[in-house]
Amino acid sequence: KVVRDFAFVIDEKYSSGEIINLVKKIDKELIKNVKIFDVYQGENIISGKKSIAFSVTLEPKDRTLSEKDIEEISKKIISTVQETTGATLRS
């Protein structure tokens, strides 16, 4: 089991539920849980946007994940969220 955290600056029209559903669809076998742990609007965030941070639990049934596997699914999560919502990765 591996947990990775992601944070994006995203248009405020997107709900936490929409982000959770979007990420879960990326790999239904591997992604076991998506949990929002921070939503922030205010100082240092552009008006009309919000910062949303979530953790993704990866749990393969039949193997151990390599760093390469984790990197690939992480890149897929980032690109899917960016392409679907126009979000930017928050550093």
Side-chain angles (χ1 to χ4, degrees):
K1 185 160 123 172
V2 177
V3 178
R4 286 286 182 266
D5 293 342
F6 299 89
F8 291 91
V9 175
I10 191 167
D11 195 297
E12 66 184 0
K13 73 180 180 184
Y14 291 100
S15 71
S16 297
E18 287 175 295
I19 300 305
I20 289 170
N21 290 334
L22 176 65
V23 174
K24 281 184 175 177
K25 283 183 202 164
I26 293 168
D27 189 329
K28 291 180 179 178
E29 289 297 305
L30 190 58
I31 296 173
K32 291 297 169 221
N33 192 22
V34 180
K35 184 177 178 191
I36 306 288
F37 63 84
D38 185 49
V39 178
Y40 173 77
Q41 283 181 284
E43 199 174 319
N44 299 328
I45 303 293
I46 300 166
S47 179
K49 303 271 185 190
K50 64 184 172 185
S51 169
I52 189 165
F54 56 89
S55 60
V56 177
T57 304
L58 308 172
E59 196 171 344
K61 288 181 178 151
D62 55 354
R63 63 192 171 97
T64 302
L65 290 172
S66 67
E67 276 303 315
K68 185 174 182 255
D69 295 329
I70 296 166
E71 187 66 27
E72 281 178 16
I73 192 72
S74 295
K75 283 181 179 173
K76 200 167 182 182
I77 290 168
I78 292 166
S79 66
T80 300
V81 172
Q82 288 177 328
E83 289 166 17
T84 306
T85 67
T88 53
L89 194 61
R90 190 163 182 213
S91 50

